[in-house]
Amino acid sequence: LSPCVQSLGSKQRSLLGGVDRLLDLQAALFGEFADIKSVLFFTCAVLLALALTSTSRTAAARLPIFAMLTGSCLLEKTLAAVFLRRGASGPASAADVEALVAWLWLLRKATCAGGLCALCHAALCYTDLGRKTLSKLDELHALTRRDSEDLSAKIDGLARAVSPAPSASSSAASSSSAASA
């Protein structure tokens, strides 16, 4: 019985050692795979942000989107350090890995939603300054034209009031020449 128990114990230790090596491999692969997915996500997010904010209508959203992406990247690394540090005595547990994945996807979804909100806000609150300037210049031109016409009409009215009528001026000139003779 004793040799059977020893044989069973050695097989159990061998099996547990293999499982531990598999868990180490899983943690290493998850770390590498998570890093690759993060790099891929942030690269796509930056390129998409550049493409969507390339117009003047949405350019105001570029800085807030990049700030959100930077904050999200830093927060992801912090979350990874917190969740994977729990398993500092050994490989991270499957529950820690699942919790980390859930938090990372929640953070990425929140970042995408925030970026979309910033993009919509920039597009809806956009004011074309060139068009606004031309509109104000047209209004100023119309106002100047109207004021010029009003001033011209007033000057014509004053000129008529100051200068005597032509029939009255000829009769006034003849009466002044008759009075002097």
Side-chain angles (χ1 to χ4, degrees):
L1 188 64
S2 173
C4 260
V5 170
Q6 287 178 351
S7 170
L8 188 58
S10 69
K11 287 182 182 179
Q12 185 180 15
R13 280 189 297 272
S14 172
L15 182 63
L16 288 177
V19 168
D20 284 342
R21 286 191 303 267
L22 278 175
L23 287 175
D24 288 341
L25 178 64
Q26 179 198 14
L29 285 176
F30 173 75
E32 293 301 318
F33 187 63
D35 287 343
I36 290 170
K37 283 174 61 176
S38 290
V39 166
L40 188 63
F41 170 76
F42 286 110
T43 301
C44 290
V46 165
L47 291 176
L48 186 62
L50 281 174
L52 291 176
T53 60
S54 62
T55 66
S56 60
R57 185 173 193 88
T58 57
R62 191 174 297 148
L63 181 63
I65 289 174
F66 284 155
M68 282 184 242
L69 287 173
T70 303
S72 175
C73 181
L74 294 175
L75 198 55
E76 270 193 26
K77 293 303 169 190
T78 304
L79 284 173
V82 166
F83 278 99
L84 297 180
R85 190 177 341 146
R86 289 183 187 170
S89 60
S93 69
D96 287 341
V97 171
E98 286 180 26
L100 176 62
V101 169
W103 278 104
L104 290 180
W105 279 108
L106 181 66
L107 179 63
R108 288 178 184 174
K109 287 178 184 178
T111 301
C112 289
L116 189 62
C117 288
L119 190 66
C120 290
H121 180 267
L124 293 175
C125 296
Y126 174 73
T127 302
D128 187 3
L129 295 179
R131 188 175 294 165
K132 191 174 183 179
T133 302
L134 287 176
S135 173
K136 291 294 183 183
L137 283 174
D138 287 342
E139 287 177 20
L140 183 63
H141 181 68
L143 183 64
T144 304
R145 182 180 299 146
R146 190 189 71 209
D147 287 347
S148 173
E149 290 170 357
D150 288 347
L151 186 60
S152 177
K154 286 179 182 178
I155 289 175
D156 289 343
L158 286 174
R160 278 187 239 122
V162 170
S163 67
S167 60
S169 66
S170 61
S171 63
S174 62
S175 48
S176 66
S177 59
S180 59

